[in-house]
């Protein structure tokens, strides 16, 4: 029976562990945070492919119960006056859920069949003909048959097995921050978005309007903000948004008390191959389409389904399974990445004139012939894969 190590306990890693356990593999997940990580922005699923994966996992009902229920989003001006409204389908798809709520559902579904090692990370990978010896930052070395990196845009496994991040990550020149805040605007299953030149701030209701999430995006040609310097990140965010109008100052004040502050650059991952020897990559670590695409989580869940299914169908032969995984998913991942191309400039135009022009365009959208075009394109992209049926895959794979 194959013994598989997965790096990353957010969404892609536990989703993969769920499927692998069903096929009879032994799985261990290592996560560098000290425990389960809540928080994060809302993620959405749209179309048959996404919903079919959730249904086959047996978690669609739980996901629907935890859905945000977000409706149309309103663009507001400096004084908070609504300037335009965008349809719910463009932002929320068929089912929208907070990343933390989805991660909790996946954690509960896998903790009985998967070993979780929190507060640790992989230090080195030493592969030979029979497996991989993994050295950890804190734990004793262990042997595994396969190693999967499901550890996000800044993947540690990708760095160790494939090389430096700058070879694969395409920075889109944008940084983002997301954190929990009180729902002081009394939003009811909706959100407000405020845009200025090169910047965007928003807040939307969450968990049945009992709280809210604030999200800030800003253009940042300089990509030298340290990912672990929270104080520095909050200082930069304050410098960029303080005094810019709307609710920005109040949201920045609430930021200091947020237990789940998240800050990162926005980028895409482009790789010719997602595997090397016994090591493979999954989700954002391999083919991140960017958080602006609206496709990352659905793509990761589909990727986990395909990777586990191919490993089971190949009865644990990673050489066959890894090749099939990329063959099945490659074109679909490329299509999802196209959704992220150009979004940064459209989302945050650089001048006030461009902001005003875009807001005027949004006002006209309900009256234009192609008013639903963007949502239709997103749905077509999300549905752009014929999911293989792995129901007949071996329940007990062999080495």
């Amino acid at each position: 029976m194959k013994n598989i190590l997965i790096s990353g306990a957010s969404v892609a890693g536990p989703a993969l562990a769920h499927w692998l356990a069903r096929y009879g593999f032994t799985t261990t997940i290592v996560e560098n945070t000290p425990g389960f990580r809540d928080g994060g922005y809302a993620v959405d699923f749209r179309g048959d492919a996404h919903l079919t994966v959730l249904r086959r996992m047996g978690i669609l009902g739980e996901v629907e119960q935890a859905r945000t229920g977000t409706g149309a989003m309103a663009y507001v001006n400096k004084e908070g006056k609504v300037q335009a409204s965008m349809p719910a389908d463009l932002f929320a798809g068929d089912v929208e859920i907070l990343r933390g709520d989805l991660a909790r559902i996946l954690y509960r579904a896998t903790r009985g069949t998967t070993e979780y090692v929190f507060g640790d990370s992989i230090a080195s990978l030493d592969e030979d003909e029979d497996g991989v010896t993994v050295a950890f930052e804190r734990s004793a070395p262990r042997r595994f048959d396969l190693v999967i990196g499901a550890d996000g845009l800044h993947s540690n496994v990708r760095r160790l097995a494939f090389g430096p991040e700058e070879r694969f990550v395409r920075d889109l020149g944008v940084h983002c921050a997301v954190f929990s805040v009180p729902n002081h605007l009394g939003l009811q299953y909706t959100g407000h978005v405020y845009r200025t030149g090169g910047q965007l701030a928003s807040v939307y209701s969450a968990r049945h309007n009992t709280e809210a999430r604030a999200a800030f995006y800003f253009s940042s040609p300089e990509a030298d903000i340290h990912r672990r310097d929270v104080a520095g990140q909050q200082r930069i965010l304050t410098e960029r948004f303080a005094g810019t109008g709307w609710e920005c100052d109040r949201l920045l004040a609430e930021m200091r008390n947020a237990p789940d502050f998240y800050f990162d650059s926005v980028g895409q991952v482009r790789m010719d191959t997602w595997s090397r020897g016994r090591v493979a990559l999954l989700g954002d670590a391999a083919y991140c389409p960017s958080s602006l695409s609206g496709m990352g989580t659905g793509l990761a869940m589909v990727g986990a389904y395909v990777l586990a299914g191919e490993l089971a169908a190949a009865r644990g032969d990673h050489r066959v399974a890894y090749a099939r995984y990329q063959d099945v998913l490659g074109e679909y991942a490329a299509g999802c990445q196209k959704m992220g191309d150009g979004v940064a400039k459209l989302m945050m135009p650089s001048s006030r004139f461009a902001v005003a022009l875009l807001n005027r365009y949004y006002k006209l959208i309900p009256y234009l012939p192609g008013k639903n075009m963007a949502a239709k394109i997103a749905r077509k992209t999300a549905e752009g894969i014929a999911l293989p049926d792995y129901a007949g895959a071996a329940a007990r794979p062999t080495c």
Side-chain angles (χ1 to χ4, degrees), residues 362-397:
Y362 284 158
K363 283 184 178 180
L364 296 175
I365 281 182
Y367 310 101
L368 298 176
K371 60 183 179 180
N372 296 319
M373 184 62 67
K376 288 180 179 178
I377 292 173
R379 181 170 296 276
K380 183 178 179 180
T381 300
E383 294 179 337
I385 185 172
L387 288 177
D389 187 352
Y390 299 109
R396 292 285 176 179

Side-chain angles (χ1 to χ4, degrees), residues 88-100:
D89 189 40
L90 180 60
F91 289 95
D94 293 315
V95 181
E96 183 185 64
I97 182 173
L98 295 177
R99 187 217 65 86

Side-chain angles (χ1 to χ4, degrees), residues 31-32 39 71 80 99-100 105 110 130 137 141 145 157 159 229 231 234 253 260 264 300 313 319 326 349 353 361 368:
E31 166 62 41
N32 64 358
R99 187 217 65 86
I105 290 170
T110 55
D130 300 320
E137 294 290 346
D145 295 301
V157 171
R159 177 183 61 82
D229 181 10
Q234 294 186 347
D260 55 358
D264 203 356
R319 292 162 295 190
Q326 186 151 353
F353 173 77
Y361 168 71
L368 298 176

Side-chain angles (χ1 to χ4, degrees), residues 4-18 20 27-33 35-37 99 103 106-107 110 114-122 134 136 147-158 280-285 300-301 304:
I4 300 178
L5 174 66
I6 302 168
S7 176
S10 180
V11 170
L16 178 65
H18 170 92
L20 290 175
T27 53
T28 299
I29 293 180
V30 61
E31 166 62 41
N32 64 358
T33 60
F36 172 80
R37 183 166 57 88
R99 187 217 65 86
L106 292 169
Y107 176 63
T110 55
T114 296
E115 176 192 7
Y116 277 85
V117 180
F118 288 106
D120 208 345
S121 61
I122 299 173
V134 180
F136 296 93
V147 176
I148 309 296
D151 43 358
L153 177 66
H154 307 291
S155 171
N156 181 46
V157 171
R158 187 184 61 227
L281 302 174
L282 170 67
D284 282 357
M301 296 288 282

Side-chain angles (χ1 to χ4, degrees), residues 49-361:
H50 292 179
L51 298 183
T52 296
V53 168
L54 295 176
R55 188 176 297 111
R56 290 179 181 176
M57 292 180 76
I59 64 171
L60 178 58
E62 286 185 86
V63 171
E64 288 180 329
Q65 287 181 357
R67 69 195 307 167
T68 64
T70 302
M73 298 281 284
Y75 280 89
V76 299
N77 64 12
K78 191 173 184 178
E79 288 74 37
K81 183 179 179 181
V82 174
Q83 301 294 291
S85 181
M86 298 298 285
D89 189 40
L90 180 60
F91 289 95
D94 293 315
V95 181
E96 183 185 64
I97 182 173
L98 295 177
R99 187 217 65 86
D101 290 345
L102 176 61
R104 185 177 289 103
I105 290 170
L106 292 169
Y107 176 63
R108 286 200 303 256
T110 55
R111 61 187 176 186
T113 55
T114 296
E115 176 192 7
Y116 277 85
V117 180
F118 288 106
D120 208 345
S121 61
I122 299 173
S124 67
L125 302 168
D126 185 12
E127 181 176 339
D128 55 44
E129 292 183 2
D130 300 320
V132 185
T133 299
V134 180
F136 296 93
E137 294 290 346
R138 295 175 178 82
S139 306
R142 293 171 62 177
R143 289 278 291 177
F144 295 92
D145 295 301
L146 303 175
V147 176
I148 309 296
D151 43 358
L153 177 66
H154 307 291
S155 171
N156 181 46
V157 171
R158 187 184 61 227
R159 177 183 61 82
L160 292 171
F162 295 84
E165 179 173 305
E166 53 268 24
R167 289 175 51 188
F168 309 108
V169 176
R170 175 188 169 203
D171 196 308
L172 297 185
V174 175
H175 273 76
C176 67
V178 182
F179 49 92
S180 297
V181 294
N183 187 7
H184 69 271
L185 291 178
L187 299 172
Q188 297 290 312
Y189 299 106
T190 188
H192 289 175
V193 182
Y194 172 59
R195 190 197 331 261
T196 60
Q199 300 180 175
L200 183 148
S202 66
V203 63
Y204 50 90
S205 59
R207 292 177 176 158
H208 304 292
N209 307 313
T210 59
E211 57 186 81
R213 291 289 184 276
F216 289 81
Y217 291 84
F218 63 95
S219 299
S220 53
E222 71 291 342
D224 57 353
I225 305 171
H226 199 284
R227 290 191 296 117
R228 301 188 187 280
D229 181 10
V230 173
Q233 294 164 359
Q234 294 186 347
R235 183 177 61 254
I236 289 171
L237 204 62
T238 300
E239 291 172 354
R240 294 297 297 262
F241 285 90
T244 58
W246 183 54
E247 298 288 326
C248 289
D249 287 346
R250 179 163 183 174
L251 295 174
L252 291 171
E254 296 286 357
M255 172 185 69
R256 305 294 179 181
N257 301 317
D260 55 358
F261 179 80
Y262 167 85
F263 184 96
D264 203 356
S265 58
V266 175
Q268 291 185 335
V269 174
R270 300 296 183 98
M271 302 185 73
D272 294 330
T273 180
W274 305 334
S275 63
R276 176 166 293 176
R278 293 175 175 269
V279 179
L281 302 174
L282 170 67
D284 282 357
Y287 34 79
C288 176
S290 94
S291 58
L292 301 180
S293 70
M295 294 290 163
T297 301
L299 174 57
M301 296 288 282
V302 171
Y305 169 81
V306 172
L307 177 54
E310 293 298 337
L311 281 167
R315 297 185 63 80
D317 186 336
H318 65 278
R319 292 162 295 190
V320 174
Y322 287 172
R324 282 284 302 155
Y325 160 56
Q326 186 151 353
D327 286 345
V328 171
L329 202 67
E331 187 174 340
Y332 182 59
C336 291
Q337 288 185 321
K338 286 182 181 179
M339 287 295 297
D341 290 339
V343 174
K345 290 183 180 179
L346 181 63
M347 185 176 177
M348 290 173 296
S350 57
S351 69
R352 291 184 179 179
F353 173 77
V355 169
L357 192 64
L358 193 59
N359 285 340
R360 182 175 294 275
Y361 168 71

